[in-house]
Every structure is written in structure tokens, then in C-alpha cells.
């Protein structure tokens, strides 16, 4: 064996093994880092951007403002991944109505009642001073206290009716898909955390697998080089190995869905950990996504919040009539129908301010999230491996080709680097 052959026998497997490791290590980094786009402006790119093919425009390499750089695939696709996760994942677990039911509307009503009863006196006082100060000033204290007491006594029934109405109409009041997309769009780091927590073992395996696969493939490539001693063998072989090492690494994580004795690893590595991943996924979603606080914010400030406010006001206006009681007709005559209706409307509008206070109570929200966690965990445990894989893989499947391309590009670079150092 001559010196050149010996050098190739040692160096080619080492190159393919090291490049295989680097390929998968950097591939994992490309998935998650950086969370925000970093890059530099390229003259003319901003003008050229609208004319580029859509498949190029959506790459995390460039921005519409003319910057060239990089953003992690997962955070750059936060809205898209959230959308797919809802369609393929959360939608399989239940509707927003199911999640709301698990939050126990009766407990929400009790909590909201406690807040409202503590605040309703000031609300009534403020509104009466604002809408008809003379009438309120002239009322004897005993009558005022009777009004306060009557409103407070009506509150539990009114609020329970409101939470029931929200539950019956929550699908019309909340766009669950938009809520999840908006949340992950604002917090892409949580989407990273979700994938990193669930797949930490598989991602570590994928990095190491690059070396374990690349090293023996180097000996195969060395053998081919002995048969076809051409300069192009190493670059082409590097592309194939780099592509395959990423493809095989991802495939081993998710496939086969069901155990297959003819495949060395029998079943997708992540699927084997379905119970463990289920716990992690359930906890993450319950703590950060489908929370009482997020649902409350969507109800009160989301794109359909006008419907929520209308429902609240329609439910609260009769409370004024019941608080006035049999004297309602006399009061209307005394202060005028228009003024009476204005007071009733103002009270209903102001009272809706109690809802955000209840929904944004962090401690109460944390206690209720336990119910969501148990619900998601139970539902996911009933999933078959096929649904489980679809839910987890669908969010990144459409962008996997970027990792394969990255592997091929590094393999090509390694092939030419070897030629530059050791020659043909």
C-alpha cells in the first residue's frame, strides 16, 4: 500500500465522520438558533425581494427589508408551526369548548363573584355620581345601602349565568387557532423550548449519529475512490453522505410509526418515549398556551372581544332592573327613561372590567392550569402512535429539506476541502 492510499484510508473516514457530526450538530443549531433574525443589509436586495420565488422568500435566510442572515427554522416558522400544531395537534385533543369546560366555569364564577362583590360598591357609587349626581345625593343612606346590598345579592346568579353563556358561545367568542398563533408569534422562544424539552434525547442522538454513520461511510467512499480514482468522487460522495446522514437521523427519530422487526431500531425513537413526551407536552401547553389568562385575554381583547363585551353587557343590564326591584317604574318616571337606560348601560359596561381581573389572577390561573394539564395528558395517552407522530412532526416536516440541503452542502465542502489538502 503506497503512502497516498494509506493517507486516504485514514483521512477520508475521519473527514466523513467529523463532517457528519458537524453536519448534524449545526443542523440542530439551525433548527433553534438564533431566536430572532440576525443579518446585514445587502444593497438592492430589498428591491429584488418581491420578485424572488415564494420558496426563496420564505427561507429564514433573507428578509423583506433587504437583510441577509439567519434565524432558527423553528422560531422563524412560529406562526406556521403554531397553525399546524393546532390543526394536527391540539384539534385532536379537543375544541376550545372542551378546554374551557376543564377550567371549571363554576370555579371561575365563584372567583369572579368574590372580586366583583368587593368592587361593586365603588362601581355603583362612581356611575351614579357620574350619571345622576343629584338623585344619588338626595337618596337617604338607608336606600343607598339597600341598593348596594341588592346588587351584591344578585351577583352570584348573574356571574354564573355569564360564565355559562361564555361556555355555550366560546367557539364564537374565541378563535383558538389565532390565539395560539399570536401567542407563539410573540414568544418564539417557547416554541423552541417545547421542541427542545420533548426531543432533547433524540437531538443529542442525532448529533452523535452523524459521526457514527459518517465514519464507516468514509471507508465505503474510500473503496469507491479506488475503483474510480476521479476528482469528483469525494465531492459527490460528500454530498450524498451529508444528505443521507441528516435524512436518516430525522427518519430514525420519527419512523417507523409502528414496530417493524425488519428495521434495526424497530420503531421511531421519539415514539418509544410517548408516555414521557406526553407529560412534557401537556405541562408545557397547560402552563403557557391554553391558560385561563390567555383565554381571558382573548375573550376581553382578542379580535372577537366585541362579542364578549356585548354578551356581558346584555347579561348585566337586567341586574340593574332586579336591583331596583318593584320601584323600577317609579325610578324611570323620576329620573326619565333615557337617564335610567344610560345608568343601566354604564353599570353593565363598567362591571365588565371585573372579568380581566379574575382572568389575570396568576395564582388562580396556575391552579386551574392543573385541570388543563390532566385533560391534555389523558387525551394524548389515548392517541395511537400515528396520531402522536403527526402531531409532533407536522410542525417541522415541511422544512426538513433545509436540513438535508445543509447536510449536502457541508458534504460538498468537505469533499473539496479534502482535495485541497491531500489532492486527488
Amino acid at each position: 500500500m503506497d503512502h497516498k492510499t494509506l493517507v486516504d484510508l485514514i483521512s477520508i473516514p475521519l473527514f466523513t465522520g467529523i463532517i457528519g457530526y458537524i453536519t448534524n450538530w449545526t443542523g440542530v443549531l439551525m433548527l433553534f438558533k438564533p431566536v430572532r433574525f440576525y443579518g446585514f443589509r445587502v444593497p438592492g436586495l430589498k428591491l429584488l425581494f418581491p420578485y424572488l420565488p415564494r420558496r426563496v422568500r420564505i427561507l429564514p435566510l433573507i428578509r423583506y427589508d433587504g437583510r441577509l442572515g439567519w434565524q432558527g427554522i423553528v422560531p422563524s416558522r412560529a406562526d406556521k408551526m403554531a397553525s399546524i400544531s393546532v390543526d394536527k395537534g391540539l384539534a385532536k385533543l379537543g375544541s376550545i369548548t372542551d378546554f374551557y369546560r376543564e377550567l371549571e366555569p363554576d370555579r371561575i364564577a365563584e372567583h369572579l363573584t368574590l372580586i366583583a362583590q368587593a368592587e361593586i360598591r365603588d362601581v355603583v357609587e362612581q356611575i351614579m355620581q357620574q350619571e345622576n349626581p343629584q338623585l344619588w345625593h338626595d337618596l337617604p343612606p338607608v336606600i343607598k345601602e339597600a341598593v348596594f346590598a341588592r346588587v351584591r345579592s344578585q351577583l352570584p346568579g348573574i356571574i354564573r349565568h355569564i360564565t355559562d353563556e361564555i361556555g355555550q358561545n366560546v367557539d364564537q367568542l374565541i378563535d383558538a387557532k389565532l390565539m395560539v398563533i399570536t401567542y407563539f408569534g410573540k414568544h418564539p422562544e417557547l416554541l423552541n423550548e417545547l421542541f427542545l424539552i420533548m426531543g432533547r434525547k433524540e437531538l443529542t442522538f442525532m448529533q452523535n449519529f452523524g459521526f457514527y454513520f459518517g465514519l464507516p461511510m468514509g471507508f465505503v467512499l474510500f473503496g469507491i475512490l479506488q475503483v474510480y480514482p476521479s476528482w469528483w468522487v469525494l465531492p459527490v460522495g460528500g454530498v450524498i453522505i451529508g444528505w443521507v446522514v441528516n435524512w436518516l437521523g430525522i427518519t430514525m427519530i420519527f419512523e417507523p410509526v409502528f414496530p417493524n422487526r425488519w428495521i434495526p431500531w424497530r420503531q421511531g425513537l421519539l415514539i418509544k418515549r410517548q408516555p414521557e413526551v406526553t407529560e412534557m407536552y401537556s405541562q408545557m401547553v397547560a402552563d403557557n398556551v391554553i391558560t385561563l389568562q390567555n383565554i381571558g385575554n382573548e375573550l376581553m381583547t382578542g379580535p372577537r372581544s366585541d362579542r364578549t363585551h356585548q354578551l356581558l353587557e346584555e347579561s348585566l343590564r337586567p341586574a340593574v332592573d332586579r336591583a331596583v326591584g318593584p320601584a323600577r317604574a317609579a325610578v324611570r318616571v323620576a329620573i326619565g327613561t333615557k337617564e335610567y337606560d344610560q345608568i343601566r348601560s354604564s353599570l353593565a359596561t363598567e362591571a365588565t372590567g371585573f372579568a380581566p381581573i379574575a382572568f389575570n389572577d396568576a395564582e388562580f390561573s396556575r391552579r386551574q392550569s392543573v385541570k388543563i394539564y390532566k385533560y391534555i395528558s389523558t387525551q394524548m395517552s389515548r392517541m395511537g402512535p400515528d396520531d402522536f407522530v403527526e402531531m409532533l412532526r407536522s410542525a417541522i416536516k415541511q422544512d426538513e429539506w433545509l436540513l438535508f440541503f445543509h447536510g449536502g452542502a457541508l458534504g460538498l465542502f468537505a469533499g473539496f476541502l479534502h482535495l485541497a489538502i491531500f489532492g486527488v
Side-chain angles (χ1 to χ4, degrees), residues 205-234:
F205 161 80
M206 187 175 171
Q207 293 178 32
N208 296 333
F209 175 76
F211 181 81
Y212 299 145
F213 180 81
L215 185 68
M217 286 301 99
F219 288 106
V220 174
L221 187 58
F222 169 78
I224 295 173
L225 188 63
Q226 303 313 300
V227 178
Y228 301 101
S230 301
W231 69 269
W232 52 265
V233 171
L234 288 180

mmCIF file of all heavy atoms in Angstrom, residues 205-234:
data_model
loop_
_atom_site.group_PDB
_atom_site.id
_atom_site.type_symbol
_atom_site.label_atom_id
_atom_site.label_comp_id
_atom_site.label_asym_id
_atom_site.label_seq_id
_atom_site.Cartn_x
_atom_site.Cartn_y
_atom_site.Cartn_z
ATOM 1 N N PHE A 205 -28.886 12.342 20.189
ATOM 2 C CA PHE A 205 -28.597 11.164 19.365
ATOM 3 C C PHE A 205 -28.295 11.571 17.935
ATOM 4 O O PHE A 205 -27.370 11.040 17.303
ATOM 5 C CB PHE A 205 -29.792 10.208 19.395
ATOM 6 C CG PHE A 205 -29.777 9.216 18.254
ATOM 7 C CD1 PHE A 205 -28.989 8.088 18.320
ATOM 8 C CD2 PHE A 205 -30.545 9.436 17.110
ATOM 9 C CE1 PHE A 205 -28.958 7.177 17.266
ATOM 10 C CE2 PHE A 205 -30.518 8.542 16.052
ATOM 11 C CZ PHE A 205 -29.725 7.402 16.132
ATOM 12 N N MET A 206 -29.087 12.514 17.396
ATOM 13 C CA MET A 206 -28.906 12.936 16.007
ATOM 14 C C MET A 206 -27.513 13.526 15.792
ATOM 15 O O MET A 206 -26.869 13.270 14.763
ATOM 16 C CB MET A 206 -29.984 13.962 15.645
ATOM 17 C CG MET A 206 -29.992 14.354 14.182
ATOM 18 S SD MET A 206 -31.376 15.456 13.815
ATOM 19 C CE MET A 206 -30.945 15.929 12.124
ATOM 20 N N GLN A 207 -27.038 14.294 16.753
ATOM 21 C CA GLN A 207 -25.683 14.860 16.640
ATOM 22 C C GLN A 207 -24.635 13.750 16.591
ATOM 23 O O GLN A 207 -23.767 13.732 15.708
ATOM 24 C CB GLN A 207 -25.411 15.776 17.825
ATOM 25 C CG GLN A 207 -26.252 17.043 17.851
ATOM 26 C CD GLN A 207 -25.956 17.888 19.085
ATOM 27 O OE1 GLN A 207 -24.832 17.905 19.573
ATOM 28 N NE2 GLN A 207 -26.948 18.588 19.587
ATOM 29 N N ASN A 208 -24.709 12.817 17.533
ATOM 30 C CA ASN A 208 -23.713 11.747 17.608
ATOM 31 C C ASN A 208 -23.816 10.793 16.417
ATOM 32 O O ASN A 208 -22.813 10.252 15.957
ATOM 33 C CB ASN A 208 -23.870 10.967 18.913
ATOM 34 C CG ASN A 208 -23.583 11.829 20.126
ATOM 35 O OD1 ASN A 208 -22.816 12.793 20.050
ATOM 36 N ND2 ASN A 208 -24.199 11.505 21.245
ATOM 37 N N PHE A 209 -25.040 10.606 15.936
ATOM 38 C CA PHE A 209 -25.257 9.695 14.818
ATOM 39 C C PHE A 209 -24.491 10.152 13.577
ATOM 40 O O PHE A 209 -24.066 9.326 12.759
ATOM 41 C CB PHE A 209 -26.748 9.586 14.509
ATOM 42 C CG PHE A 209 -27.061 8.749 13.297
ATOM 43 C CD1 PHE A 209 -26.994 7.373 13.367
ATOM 44 C CD2 PHE A 209 -27.416 9.341 12.090
ATOM 45 C CE1 PHE A 209 -27.265 6.591 12.257
ATOM 46 C CE2 PHE A 209 -27.688 8.571 10.972
ATOM 47 C CZ PHE A 209 -27.617 7.197 11.052
ATOM 48 N N GLY A 210 -24.307 11.461 13.436
ATOM 49 C CA GLY A 210 -23.565 11.975 12.290
ATOM 50 C C GLY A 210 -22.173 11.376 12.212
ATOM 51 O O GLY A 210 -21.683 11.030 11.129
ATOM 52 N N PHE A 211 -21.519 11.216 13.362
ATOM 53 C CA PHE A 211 -20.172 10.624 13.377
ATOM 54 C C PHE A 211 -20.233 9.113 13.180
ATOM 55 O O PHE A 211 -19.462 8.537 12.391
ATOM 56 C CB PHE A 211 -19.473 10.944 14.697
ATOM 57 C CG PHE A 211 -18.071 10.398 14.780
ATOM 58 C CD1 PHE A 211 -17.015 11.076 14.182
ATOM 59 C CD2 PHE A 211 -17.815 9.206 15.438
ATOM 60 C CE1 PHE A 211 -15.722 10.561 14.238
ATOM 61 C CE2 PHE A 211 -16.526 8.695 15.504
ATOM 62 C CZ PHE A 211 -15.478 9.381 14.899
ATOM 63 N N TYR A 212 -21.191 8.465 13.898
ATOM 64 C CA TYR A 212 -21.287 7.003 13.831
ATOM 65 C C TYR A 212 -21.604 6.526 12.413
ATOM 66 O O TYR A 212 -21.160 5.462 11.988
ATOM 67 C CB TYR A 212 -22.360 6.491 14.782
ATOM 68 C CG TYR A 212 -22.104 6.828 16.227
ATOM 69 C CD1 TYR A 212 -23.151 7.119 17.101
ATOM 70 C CD2 TYR A 212 -20.800 6.858 16.739
ATOM 71 C CE1 TYR A 212 -22.914 7.415 18.425
ATOM 72 C CE2 TYR A 212 -20.557 7.162 18.063
ATOM 73 C CZ TYR A 212 -21.623 7.450 18.900
ATOM 74 O OH TYR A 212 -21.389 7.761 20.205
ATOM 75 N N PHE A 213 -22.373 7.317 11.670
ATOM 76 C CA PHE A 213 -22.717 6.947 10.303
ATOM 77 C C PHE A 213 -21.641 7.412 9.319
ATOM 78 O O PHE A 213 -21.298 6.691 8.380
ATOM 79 C CB PHE A 213 -24.067 7.561 9.917
ATOM 80 C CG PHE A 213 -24.509 7.230 8.524
ATOM 81 C CD1 PHE A 213 -25.108 6.019 8.231
ATOM 82 C CD2 PHE A 213 -24.333 8.147 7.479
ATOM 83 C CE1 PHE A 213 -25.521 5.705 6.945
ATOM 84 C CE2 PHE A 213 -24.737 7.839 6.186
ATOM 85 C CZ PHE A 213 -25.330 6.622 5.920
ATOM 86 N N GLY A 214 -21.114 8.607 9.552
ATOM 87 C CA GLY A 214 -20.153 9.177 8.618
ATOM 88 C C GLY A 214 -18.843 8.405 8.567
ATOM 89 O O GLY A 214 -18.247 8.233 7.489
ATOM 90 N N LEU A 215 -18.375 7.909 9.720
ATOM 91 C CA LEU A 215 -17.092 7.199 9.765
ATOM 92 C C LEU A 215 -17.099 5.939 8.879
ATOM 93 O O LEU A 215 -16.238 5.801 8.003
ATOM 94 C CB LEU A 215 -16.736 6.849 11.209
ATOM 95 C CG LEU A 215 -15.365 6.198 11.405
ATOM 96 C CD1 LEU A 215 -14.249 7.189 11.103
ATOM 97 C CD2 LEU A 215 -15.225 5.670 12.835
ATOM 98 N N PRO A 216 -18.008 4.998 9.044
ATOM 99 C CA PRO A 216 -17.994 3.812 8.169
ATOM 100 C C PRO A 216 -18.266 4.148 6.707
ATOM 101 O O PRO A 216 -17.748 3.479 5.811
ATOM 102 C CB PRO A 216 -19.091 2.912 8.748
ATOM 103 C CG PRO A 216 -19.945 3.800 9.567
ATOM 104 C CD PRO A 216 -19.051 4.886 10.077
ATOM 105 N N MET A 217 -19.073 5.185 6.470
ATOM 106 C CA MET A 217 -19.332 5.575 5.089
ATOM 107 C C MET A 217 -18.052 6.096 4.423
ATOM 108 O O MET A 217 -17.900 6.034 3.199
ATOM 109 C CB MET A 217 -20.422 6.644 5.039
ATOM 110 C CG MET A 217 -21.840 6.130 5.301
ATOM 111 S SD MET A 217 -22.383 4.850 4.138
ATOM 112 C CE MET A 217 -22.078 3.357 5.092
ATOM 113 N N GLY A 218 -17.139 6.586 5.238
ATOM 114 C CA GLY A 218 -15.849 7.038 4.703
ATOM 115 C C GLY A 218 -15.064 5.887 4.107
ATOM 116 O O GLY A 218 -14.388 6.044 3.073
ATOM 117 N N PHE A 219 -15.142 4.717 4.749
ATOM 118 C CA PHE A 219 -14.448 3.543 4.202
ATOM 119 C C PHE A 219 -15.087 3.099 2.886
ATOM 120 O O PHE A 219 -14.402 2.664 1.965
ATOM 121 C CB PHE A 219 -14.481 2.392 5.213
ATOM 122 C CG PHE A 219 -13.586 2.620 6.406
ATOM 123 C CD1 PHE A 219 -14.116 2.943 7.641
ATOM 124 C CD2 PHE A 219 -12.202 2.510 6.278
ATOM 125 C CE1 PHE A 219 -13.290 3.157 8.740
ATOM 126 C CE2 PHE A 219 -11.365 2.718 7.371
ATOM 127 C CZ PHE A 219 -11.907 3.045 8.604
ATOM 128 N N VAL A 220 -16.439 3.219 2.827
ATOM 129 C CA VAL A 220 -17.128 2.893 1.573
ATOM 130 C C VAL A 220 -16.675 3.853 0.478
ATOM 131 O O VAL A 220 -16.385 3.445 -0.662
ATOM 132 C CB VAL A 220 -18.663 2.966 1.756
ATOM 133 C CG1 VAL A 220 -19.365 2.784 0.413
ATOM 134 C CG2 VAL A 220 -19.128 1.917 2.756
ATOM 135 N N LEU A 221 -16.600 5.139 0.834
ATOM 136 C CA LEU A 221 -16.184 6.140 -0.144
ATOM 137 C C LEU A 221 -14.734 5.901 -0.586
ATOM 138 O O LEU A 221 -14.391 6.079 -1.766
ATOM 139 C CB LEU A 221 -16.320 7.540 0.466
ATOM 140 C CG LEU A 221 -16.091 8.727 -0.467
ATOM 141 C CD1 LEU A 221 -17.050 8.679 -1.651
ATOM 142 C CD2 LEU A 221 -16.269 10.041 0.308
ATOM 143 N N PHE A 222 -13.891 5.466 0.352
ATOM 144 C CA PHE A 222 -12.504 5.142 0.021
ATOM 145 C C PHE A 222 -12.461 4.001 -1.000
ATOM 146 O O PHE A 222 -11.680 4.024 -1.972
ATOM 147 C CB PHE A 222 -11.740 4.755 1.285
ATOM 148 C CG PHE A 222 -10.392 4.149 1.009
ATOM 149 C CD1 PHE A 222 -9.307 4.946 0.678
ATOM 150 C CD2 PHE A 222 -10.210 2.755 1.059
ATOM 151 C CE1 PHE A 222 -8.063 4.378 0.417
ATOM 152 C CE2 PHE A 222 -8.973 2.200 0.791
ATOM 153 C CZ PHE A 222 -7.899 3.004 0.475
ATOM 154 N N GLY A 223 -13.309 2.985 -0.789
ATOM 155 C CA GLY A 223 -13.359 1.863 -1.712
ATOM 156 C C GLY A 223 -13.793 2.293 -3.103
ATOM 157 O O GLY A 223 -13.220 1.833 -4.113
ATOM 158 N N ILE A 224 -14.785 3.179 -3.176
ATOM 159 C CA ILE A 224 -15.256 3.671 -4.480
ATOM 160 C C ILE A 224 -14.143 4.449 -5.173
ATOM 161 O O ILE A 224 -13.950 4.344 -6.395
ATOM 162 C CB ILE A 224 -16.506 4.549 -4.298
ATOM 163 C CG1 ILE A 224 -17.670 3.696 -3.768
ATOM 164 C CG2 ILE A 224 -16.902 5.232 -5.606
ATOM 165 C CD1 ILE A 224 -18.907 4.510 -3.393
ATOM 166 N N LEU A 225 -13.376 5.199 -4.364
ATOM 167 C CA LEU A 225 -12.295 6.004 -4.923
ATOM 168 C C LEU A 225 -11.205 5.114 -5.539
ATOM 169 O O LEU A 225 -10.556 5.496 -6.532
ATOM 170 C CB LEU A 225 -11.693 6.896 -3.838
ATOM 171 C CG LEU A 225 -10.675 7.943 -4.289
ATOM 172 C CD1 LEU A 225 -11.320 8.954 -5.242
ATOM 173 C CD2 LEU A 225 -10.094 8.671 -3.072
ATOM 174 N N GLN A 226 -11.030 3.915 -4.979
ATOM 175 C CA GLN A 226 -10.029 3.002 -5.529
ATOM 176 C C GLN A 226 -10.469 2.454 -6.894
ATOM 177 O O GLN A 226 -9.637 2.180 -7.765
ATOM 178 C CB GLN A 226 -9.778 1.832 -4.566
ATOM 179 C CG GLN A 226 -9.332 2.243 -3.174
ATOM 180 C CD GLN A 226 -8.228 3.282 -3.185
ATOM 181 O OE1 GLN A 226 -7.137 3.029 -3.734
ATOM 182 N NE2 GLN A 226 -8.483 4.441 -2.603
ATOM 183 N N VAL A 227 -11.790 2.317 -7.048
ATOM 184 C CA VAL A 227 -12.322 1.804 -8.314
ATOM 185 C C VAL A 227 -12.412 2.924 -9.346
ATOM 186 O O VAL A 227 -12.115 2.729 -10.533
ATOM 187 C CB VAL A 227 -13.699 1.144 -8.101
ATOM 188 C CG1 VAL A 227 -14.267 0.644 -9.442
ATOM 189 C CG2 VAL A 227 -13.584 -0.005 -7.105
ATOM 190 N N TYR A 228 -12.847 4.107 -8.878
ATOM 191 C CA TYR A 228 -12.999 5.269 -9.780
ATOM 192 C C TYR A 228 -12.145 6.416 -9.236
ATOM 193 O O TYR A 228 -12.636 7.292 -8.524
ATOM 194 C CB TYR A 228 -14.455 5.716 -9.864
ATOM 195 C CG TYR A 228 -15.395 4.654 -10.368
ATOM 196 C CD1 TYR A 228 -16.179 3.930 -9.481
ATOM 197 C CD2 TYR A 228 -15.508 4.375 -11.726
ATOM 198 C CE1 TYR A 228 -17.050 2.947 -9.929
ATOM 199 C CE2 TYR A 228 -16.375 3.399 -12.195
ATOM 200 C CZ TYR A 228 -17.155 2.683 -11.283
ATOM 201 O OH TYR A 228 -18.006 1.724 -11.750
ATOM 202 N N PRO A 229 -10.849 6.415 -9.528
ATOM 203 C CA PRO A 229 -9.954 7.443 -8.958
ATOM 204 C C PRO A 229 -10.083 8.787 -9.673
ATOM 205 O O PRO A 229 -9.140 9.273 -10.294
ATOM 206 C CB PRO A 229 -8.571 6.815 -9.166
ATOM 207 C CG PRO A 229 -8.737 5.962 -10.394
ATOM 208 C CD PRO A 229 -10.131 5.430 -10.359
ATOM 209 N N SER A 230 -11.276 9.393 -9.581
ATOM 210 C CA SER A 230 -11.542 10.686 -10.220
ATOM 211 C C SER A 230 -11.736 11.760 -9.156
ATOM 212 O O SER A 230 -12.179 11.474 -8.023
ATOM 213 C CB SER A 230 -12.783 10.601 -11.106
ATOM 214 O OG SER A 230 -12.618 9.608 -12.121
ATOM 215 N N TRP A 231 -11.459 12.998 -9.513
ATOM 216 C CA TRP A 231 -11.529 14.100 -8.545
ATOM 217 C C TRP A 231 -12.944 14.337 -8.021
ATOM 218 O O TRP A 231 -13.135 14.793 -6.899
ATOM 219 C CB TRP A 231 -11.004 15.383 -9.197
ATOM 220 C CG TRP A 231 -11.919 15.921 -10.273
ATOM 221 C CD1 TRP A 231 -11.868 15.637 -11.590
ATOM 222 C CD2 TRP A 231 -13.025 16.811 -10.081
ATOM 223 N NE1 TRP A 231 -12.860 16.269 -12.268
ATOM 224 C CE2 TRP A 231 -13.596 17.021 -11.359
ATOM 225 C CE3 TRP A 231 -13.590 17.454 -8.983
ATOM 226 C CZ2 TRP A 231 -14.698 17.833 -11.554
ATOM 227 C CZ3 TRP A 231 -14.690 18.267 -9.159
ATOM 228 C CH2 TRP A 231 -15.236 18.458 -10.434
ATOM 229 N N TRP A 232 -13.955 13.991 -8.832
ATOM 230 C CA TRP A 232 -15.331 14.300 -8.445
ATOM 231 C C TRP A 232 -15.922 13.310 -7.443
ATOM 232 O O TRP A 232 -17.000 13.542 -6.884
ATOM 233 C CB TRP A 232 -16.225 14.350 -9.681
ATOM 234 C CG TRP A 232 -16.138 13.134 -10.577
ATOM 235 C CD1 TRP A 232 -15.360 12.989 -11.667
ATOM 236 C CD2 TRP A 232 -16.856 11.901 -10.413
ATOM 237 N NE1 TRP A 232 -15.525 11.745 -12.223
ATOM 238 C CE2 TRP A 232 -16.450 11.051 -11.479
ATOM 239 C CE3 TRP A 232 -17.780 11.430 -9.497
ATOM 240 C CZ2 TRP A 232 -16.946 9.752 -11.634
ATOM 241 C CZ3 TRP A 232 -18.290 10.145 -9.650
ATOM 242 C CH2 TRP A 232 -17.881 9.314 -10.700
ATOM 243 N N VAL A 233 -15.258 12.180 -7.212
ATOM 244 C CA VAL A 233 -15.813 11.148 -6.327
ATOM 245 C C VAL A 233 -16.007 11.679 -4.905
ATOM 246 O O VAL A 233 -17.045 11.461 -4.275
ATOM 247 C CB VAL A 233 -14.904 9.896 -6.322
ATOM 248 C CG1 VAL A 233 -15.361 8.914 -5.232
ATOM 249 C CG2 VAL A 233 -14.930 9.225 -7.687
ATOM 250 N N LEU A 234 -15.004 12.386 -4.375
ATOM 251 C CA LEU A 234 -15.108 12.885 -2.990
ATOM 252 C C LEU A 234 -16.181 13.955 -2.838
ATOM 253 O O LEU A 234 -16.998 13.881 -1.894
ATOM 254 C CB LEU A 234 -13.749 13.408 -2.519
ATOM 255 C CG LEU A 234 -12.692 12.336 -2.234
ATOM 256 C CD1 LEU A 234 -11.392 12.981 -1.787
ATOM 257 C CD2 LEU A 234 -13.192 11.366 -1.169
#
